[in-house]
């Protein structure tokens, strides 16, 4: 039986996620509903993707009846593709409606909000996962496998850079939209570090950066120290394009993920390059390698089929730890959102 998806928001990221779903077998994944703030936007989105139901409010999607009453309207899981400040209220609304949720990154603005979402999911006994798509790419799975086999020996340093000039995009620079380099881009670097170090809590976090006049971080560098004298260094920026590479450096070798560390399609292991092509899209994409979101969608399906309430590869503890690290980095750099006062 197919996993039935509801799409919350009709924006760019939701477009690419739906394109990615269309690359998967229709007997496994079906998009049955989309909701937007305006009915016309939802209807246009639905027409483009042949989605049977369109709603002009997110509340309507949350109220979709249970499968026993109206099978054609039932959704197994809702994908939340809203901008950052709405992840908590929308996530809570769907979770409290007993719906499984895949929520875009960051799962919430800070640790307190992440804890609220996790508690809400547990209270309602439903599935919740942060949509950090990088974690599910074949390259990421292979990196984990190679590290488990000791391919590069003991890992001593992880490095990751992610930066583009995004200062012309309001959601990236406006404080009320929780913009800034860290929440938008740096989170990808930190999640990669956390994946390599298997969700270990760091001993220390040292951050420095510069902020825009709007009060959000333009560029940030974070040094993270782990037990056993192991380190990680990440750089993120919404002002300039960085190398966008990632490196795992061990006592016996190096793994490099070139160019697109947030959506990797190749890696270089001790000098040997290996490629992992993505599914092809029949529709234009807004983001590089957007069809790679199919991997996180399939992870959700497999978790639901197994009756799991969270992903083993992207556990909620990892999301909580990422939030803690980002909270500390923002504190040191002086980036404070209104949500931090709640």
């Amino acid at each position: 039986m197919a996993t039935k998806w509801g799409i919350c928001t009709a924006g760019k990221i939701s477009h690419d996620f739906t394109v990615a779903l269309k690359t998967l077998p229709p007997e496994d994944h079906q998009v049955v509903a989309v909701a937007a703030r305006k009915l016309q936007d939802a209807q246009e989105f639905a027409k483009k993707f042949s989605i049977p139901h369109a709603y002009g409010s997110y509340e309507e999607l949350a109220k979709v009846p249970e499968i026993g009453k109206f099978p054609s309207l039932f959704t197994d899981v809702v994908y939340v593709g809203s901008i950052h400040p709405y992840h908590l209220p929308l996530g809570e609304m769907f979770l409290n409606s007993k719906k499984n949720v895949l929520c875009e990154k960051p799962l919430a603005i800070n640790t307190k909000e992440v804890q609220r979402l996790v508690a809400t999911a547990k209270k309602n006994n439903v599935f919740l996962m942060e949509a950090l798509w990088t974690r599910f790419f074949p390259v990421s799975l292979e990196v984990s496998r190679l590290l488990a086999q000791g391919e590069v020996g003991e890992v001593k340093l992880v490095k990751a850079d992610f930066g583009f000039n995004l200062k012309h995009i309001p959601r990236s620079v406006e404080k009320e939209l929780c913009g800034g380099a860290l929440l938008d881009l740096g989170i990808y670097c930190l999640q990669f570090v956390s994946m390599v170090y298997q969700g270990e809590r760091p001993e220390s976090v040292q951050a420095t950066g510069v902020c825009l006049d709007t009060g959000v971080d333009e560029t940030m560098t974070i040094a993270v120290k782990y037990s056993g004298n192991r380190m990680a260094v990440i750089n993120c920026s919404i002002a300039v394009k960085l190398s966008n590479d990632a490196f795992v450096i061990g006592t016996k070798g190096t793994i490099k993920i070139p160019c697109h560390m947030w959506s990797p399609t190749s890696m270089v292991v001790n000098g040997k390059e290996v490629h992992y092509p993505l599914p092809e899209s029949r529709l234009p994409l807004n983001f590089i390698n957007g069809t790679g979101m199919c991997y996180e969608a399939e992870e959700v399906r497999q978790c639901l089929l197994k009756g799991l309430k969270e992903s083993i590869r992207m556990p909620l503890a990892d999301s909580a730890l990422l939030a803690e690290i980002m909270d500390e980095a923002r504190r040191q750099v002086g980036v404070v959102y209104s949500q931090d006062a709640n």
Side-chain angles (χ1 to χ4, degrees), residues 222-276:
I222 305 174
V224 189
K225 182 182 178 182
Y226 289 85
S227 63
N229 297 321
R230 296 168 298 150
M231 294 287 296
V233 179
I234 74 115
N235 298 291
C236 57
S237 179
I238 56 170
V240 293
K241 182 179 180 180
L242 300 179
S243 65
N244 299 328
D245 296 331
F247 294 85
V248 181
I249 304 169
T251 54
K252 296 181 180 179
T254 298
I255 298 173
K256 176 184 178 181
I257 298 177
C259 302
H260 304 130
M261 59 75 53
W262 72 97
S263 57
T265 57
S266 67
M267 65 177 179
V268 182
V269 182
N270 294 330
K272 182 180 179 181
E273 188 167 7
V274 185
H275 293 269
Y276 299 83

Side-chain angles (χ1 to χ4, degrees), residues 301-318:
R301 171 174 167 78
Q302 293 304 317
C303 288
L304 295 181
L305 290 174
K306 296 172 184 175
L308 301 177
K309 303 306 177 184
E310 61 180 296
S311 165
I312 296 175
R313 285 205 56 79
M314 188 65 224
L316 295 173
D318 272 25

Side-chain angles (χ1 to χ4, degrees), residues 60 99 236 338:
E60 289 179 88
K99 297 194 180 301
C236 57
S338 61

Side-chain angles (χ1 to χ4, degrees), residues 27-336:
E27 62 269 22
D28 291 344
H29 295 268
Q30 295 176 7
V31 182
V32 298
V34 59
R37 287 178 295 180
K38 297 179 180 178
L39 179 58
Q40 181 180 353
D41 292 342
Q43 289 173 332
E44 291 176 356
F45 193 98
K47 182 179 180 180
K48 179 186 296 184
F49 292 105
S50 300
I51 301 171
H53 303 286
Y55 302 105
S57 73
Y58 305 134
E59 290 77 10
E60 289 179 88
L61 179 59
K63 293 176 182 178
V64 169
E66 295 178 359
I67 188 169
K69 298 178 181 179
F70 297 94
S72 66
L73 291 177
F74 177 75
T75 53
D76 292 302
V77 57
V78 174
Y79 169 77
V80 177
S82 65
I83 59 176
H84 299 167
Y86 298 104
H87 290 181
L88 175 64
L90 290 177
E92 281 192 319
M93 180 178 68
F94 290 117
L95 293 169
N96 281 323
S97 297
K98 309 294 184 181
K99 297 194 180 301
N100 302 302
V101 170
L102 173 64
C103 182
E104 261 306 326
K105 61 81 194 167
L107 186 58
I109 301 306
N110 55 36
T111 301
K112 289 184 294 184
E113 288 195 349
V114 168
Q115 290 172 340
R116 278 181 58 179
L117 280 177
V118 172
T120 303
K122 291 182 177 179
K123 179 186 71 174
N124 290 288
N125 195 33
V126 288
F127 177 87
L128 174 64
M129 190 178 90
E130 185 174 13
L132 271 165
W133 61 328
T134 312
R135 186 68 66 97
F136 307 100
F137 274 63
V139 168
S140 297
L141 300 180
E142 184 65 6
V143 168
S144 295
R145 187 186 70 82
L146 291 173
L147 294 178
Q149 291 182 346
E151 183 71 23
V152 296
E154 181 187 1
V155 176
K156 301 297 292 183
L157 177 65
V158 183
K159 296 167 53 181
D161 294 347
F162 191 5
F164 282 102
N165 183 2
L166 305 178
K167 293 171 69 175
H168 58 288
I169 301 176
R171 70 169 182 82
S172 294
V173 299
E174 294 181 10
K175 192 172 184 179
E176 59 269 26
L177 299 182
C178 298
L182 181 58
L183 262 62
D184 205 15
L185 304 182
I187 186 172
Y188 287 105
C189 302
L190 288 174
Q191 81 79 27
F192 181 77
V193 169
S194 185
M195 183 192 78
V196 171
Y197 287 135
Q198 300 181 2
E200 181 180 327
R201 181 173 298 276
E203 292 182 346
S204 67
V205 176
Q206 299 292 326
T208 186
V210 293
C211 294
L212 298 172
D213 293 339
T214 58
V216 305
D217 50 306
E218 176 190 87
T219 301
M220 192 180 294
T221 296
I222 305 174
V224 189
K225 182 182 178 182
Y226 289 85
S227 63
N229 297 321
R230 296 168 298 150
M231 294 287 296
V233 179
I234 74 115
N235 298 291
C236 57
S237 179
I238 56 170
V240 293
K241 182 179 180 180
L242 300 179
S243 65
N244 299 328
D245 296 331
F247 294 85
V248 181
I249 304 169
T251 54
K252 296 181 180 179
T254 298
I255 298 173
K256 176 184 178 181
I257 298 177
C259 302
H260 304 130
M261 59 75 53
W262 72 97
S263 57
T265 57
S266 67
M267 65 177 179
V268 182
V269 182
N270 294 330
K272 182 180 179 181
E273 188 167 7
V274 185
H275 293 269
Y276 299 83
L278 297 177
E280 293 185 4
S281 168
R282 296 180 180 179
L283 293 171
L285 292 163
N286 295 296
F287 302 100
I288 297 171
N289 296 339
T291 57
M293 284 188 277
C294 70
Y295 301 119
E296 65 181 0
E298 181 59 22
E299 172 71 8
V300 172
R301 171 174 167 78
Q302 293 304 317
C303 288
L304 295 181
L305 290 174
K306 296 172 184 175
L308 301 177
K309 303 306 177 184
E310 61 180 296
S311 165
I312 296 175
R313 285 205 56 79
M314 188 65 224
L316 295 173
D318 272 25
S319 295
L321 181 58
L322 287 173
E324 289 182 33
I325 294 172
M326 292 191 295
D327 283 356
E328 177 59 20
R330 287 195 296 110
R331 185 192 67 79
Q332 293 181 26
V333 175
V335 178
V336 181

